[in-house]
Amino acid sequence: MFTATSLNAQLARAQADHLRVLVVGAGVAGLTLAQALRAGGLHPVLVERAADHADDGYMLALMPLVEPVLRQAGARDAYRARSVRFHRYVLHGRHGQRLREYAIDSLLSRYGEYRGIARGELMQALADEGAAVSYATTLQALRQTPEAAHVVLREGDSTHEAVFDAVVLADGLHSSSRELLLPAQQVSTFDCGWGGWVAWMDSDAAHADRGDEIWGSDFFVGVYPVKGRAGVFVGGHRDDTRAGPQAFVAHIRSQLRHVDDWLLRALESVAESGDTSYYWKLTDIRSATWAVQRTVLLGDAAAGFVPTAGIGAGMAMESAGVLARQLLAADRAGVPVALHDYERVQRPRVESAQDNSRALTKLMCRRSPTLAAVRDVVARFVTLKAALGPIRKLLDSASEV
């Protein structure tokens, strides 16, 4: 369970550690790192700018590459209890017609299981053994010397000065702390111009392990399994979605000639959620440098992902595991080298996965009936082995890190 803890209490515990670590951001990456460090005997100070962890967020499909860090953090059993097996994937064409069904496990089973989970459930699984967090707390200033990182943290109306051996910035795609480390020109942005809404609906036995996607001529619909529910994403160009979810869903339905009740329910869940549903802009960022002296970027703060390849959260968690192992093996003097080694090993893997996500996004984010028709024809002949090629390459090389 998450435990709201005063910053002073966390700072006091950290001072006795052989390595004093500050983690800024208690999202997926930051929480995974903090829990892995705690399992290794440290007391990292974990701060979060939000007031709590109440938001369920969105759905995640996690590849087997998350298994090592979940075991490292002592959260594997809780994760499996809160997630479901993602076994089948059904691809639909521009008019809703079924093109192909894939059994994903047939090519991933030797690595582990592909599982679906709500973001909020993943956070609870990671915090199952207890997770101290100082909420409503932000990093205000950062000054580094060869010996230490000196920071100023704001908790509510109070400020605290503290000294750490390592500072990890994991406060997301729109990180407010990243600018304290890197100039703006070292952070590039990719924006395909699309966005969409996230909604939830009840699942049933027939769809408990199945994901569906419709790639339309100017829209996208995805339905993904999580425990007891299904997460729905409906997106299109932001010029088109500006009319709101009800109007955009009506636009999609006008193009569908073959669609089953399951997908109609998914569209209705978005239309009924109205403007209160979470709107996800399909953008990402890439930081040219991750590690500077005793401070390092992690997760979306280092390299954010558009969700098209379903790999962003998994790569953030894998990165957290690699970073945790580097820090747990380091002494205070060796932190800069440990952070450099983490970046050297992990950044090429993450950027390769990010490139794959961007390529899929460019294929999906089009407003062309002709291209959609061509995609429908080609998709009938794409084997699962070819579709999962980049993912299998990442999994095959995971033992190297």
Side-chain angles (χ1 to χ4, degrees), residues 2 50-57 119-120 123-124 135:
F2 289 103
D52 55 41
H53 274 96
D55 187 12
D56 227 9
R119 181 182 182 275
M123 304 297 283
Q124 292 296 332
Y135 292 108

Side-chain angles (χ1 to χ4, degrees), residues 200-223:
W200 301 94
M201 67 180 193
D202 292 336
S203 189
D204 55 38
H207 300 88
D209 66 351
R210 171 180 143 184
D212 289 77
E213 291 182 347
I214 307 176
W215 289 45
S217 58
D218 59 358
F219 68 88
F220 175 86
V221 179
V223 189

